[in-house]
Amino acid sequence: MEALRVAVVKECNCFRVERRCDIMRKTAIKLQGIRKSFYIGQPNELEILHGINIDVKEGEFVSIVGESGSGKSTLMNIIGALDRPTQGEYFLDGKKINGAKDRELSVIRNKKIGFVFQTYNLIARTNALSNVELPMLYAGIPKNKRAKRAKELLDIVGMSERMDHKPDELSGGQKQRVAIARAMSNNPSIILADEPTGALDSDTGRKIMDIFHRLHRENGKTIVLITHSSSLANETERIITLKDGLVIGERKGEASC
């Protein structure tokens, strides 16, 4: 499917490509009327998301932008099955997961979704190789296969020479490369990246974005980028703008053409 998409991009004009791709691609993420409240039933009950409707196609690179307090992180937690919506329906690869049990959600997070966070979330006491192996350990993959794949992934992100180093021996950019390799360890179809360049300088952030583009282009990954940066958002195929817990706009990014 991805090879055909690339061939079409080279031979057709942009508008025809986009329409044809939309027909070909299935819906990976579908949110309908998603609301999220905290302190339910208490005097200080607070609704953060006020009825979100979003569709993300399989293999699409989408950004969700908004200022601090817009609800981006709350939305990402729901998309990543880290939290449950108060109301609404969430379909992942066509399957409704609202009523899934905690154990089922854990399996979904482990096998279908790869997470990349602004703060890296690496385990301090273990080296880069072991950090990348960890999701595979939880998935029950044998040690020799874990190590082989972890080494391959670290090589892909340019960290093969630092695989024995612990997080405190790595720069911010190197930590994020390890985090991306870890996110890819179980070959998830979806990658959620929450402000992945927020703690990095511009040059290092550029290299991290290049890795995401490569994963999207060469591996056909569905990527949802959460960011407050309009310049980074413009690099994606589609930009969804969030404000005060509502989707207030949607437009094509530079990667759509």
Side-chain angles (χ1 to χ4, degrees):
M1 182 182 295
E2 183 65 15
L4 178 57
R5 187 178 81 86
V6 173
V8 173
V9 167
K10 290 180 179 178
E11 295 176 9
C12 302
N13 64 63
C14 295
F15 296 104
R16 289 169 60 193
V17 168
E18 286 304 309
R19 287 198 295 268
R20 186 167 178 179
C21 287
D22 285 344
I23 293 172
M24 290 171 59
R25 294 192 282 191
K26 298 178 181 178
T27 299
I29 296 168
K30 187 176 187 66
L31 305 177
Q32 294 182 318
I34 295 295
R35 294 177 178 271
K36 180 62 181 178
S37 298
F38 295 92
Y39 314 113
I40 297 173
Q42 300 180 32
N44 59 337
E45 181 173 335
L46 178 65
E47 186 176 82
I48 302 298
L49 301 178
H50 310 301
I52 300 292
N53 298 299
I54 291 175
D55 286 3
V56 178
K57 297 293 184 181
E58 191 177 71
E60 191 176 14
F61 193 169
V62 175
S63 56
I64 298 176
V65 301
E67 298 178 356
S68 179
S70 62
K72 300 191 307 297
S73 294
T74 301
L75 181 59
M76 194 209 79
N77 287 340
I78 290 174
I79 294 174
L82 294 167
D83 200 0
R84 299 173 186 269
T86 306
Q87 294 181 36
E89 296 183 327
Y90 177 17
F91 295 87
L92 184 65
D93 290 334
K95 181 180 179 181
K96 185 177 177 180
I97 67 169
N98 294 56
K101 297 179 180 179
D102 289 345
R103 184 175 180 82
E104 293 175 300
L105 292 178
S106 179
V107 172
I108 288 171
R109 290 192 298 269
N110 184 252
K111 294 186 176 181
K112 288 197 170 188
I113 303 172
F115 296 89
V116 180
F117 300 97
Q118 178 178 349
T119 52
Y120 324 122
N121 287 12
L122 300 177
I123 297 177
R125 65 179 182 276
T126 61
N127 61 24
L129 184 66
S130 295
N131 267 283
V132 176
E133 284 187 47
L134 192 59
M136 292 183 278
L137 174 64
Y138 293 149
I141 296 174
K143 182 173 179 54
N144 60 333
K145 291 184 178 180
R146 295 199 309 264
K148 182 176 183 294
R149 177 157 176 78
K151 289 176 182 178
E152 290 172 349
L153 290 169
L154 286 168
D155 184 55
I156 288 173
V157 299
M159 287 294 293
S160 57
E161 295 182 358
R162 308 282 288 180
M163 67 176 62
D164 293 324
H165 292 251
K166 294 181 180 180
D168 62 0
E169 299 171 323
L170 302 174
S171 68
Q174 290 171 336
K175 291 176 186 176
Q176 199 60 292
R177 286 169 182 260
V178 173
I180 293 171
R182 181 187 58 190
M184 290 292 295
S185 61
N186 284 327
N187 196 26
S189 57
I190 298 168
I191 297 176
L192 296 184
D194 187 11
E195 300 281 6
T197 65
L200 306 175
D201 62 76
S202 58
D203 288 342
T204 305
R206 173 71 269 149
K207 294 175 182 176
I208 295 301
M209 281 299 295
D210 287 344
I211 293 175
F212 285 121
H213 284 298
R214 193 164 72 245
L215 292 173
H216 173 242
R217 182 178 64 250
E218 298 177 6
N219 299 90
K221 297 300 178 184
T222 304
I223 302 178
V224 178
L225 172 70
I226 311 294
T227 183
H228 66 275
S229 170
S230 58
S231 61
L232 293 183
N234 280 332
E235 296 184 22
T236 66
E237 292 181 300
R238 188 158 55 98
I239 304 161
I240 298 168
T241 302
L242 210 63
K243 183 177 181 180
D244 297 331
L246 289 167
V247 173
I248 63 166
E250 182 178 318
R251 63 182 176 86
K252 288 184 178 181
E254 294 174 359
S256 68
C257 184

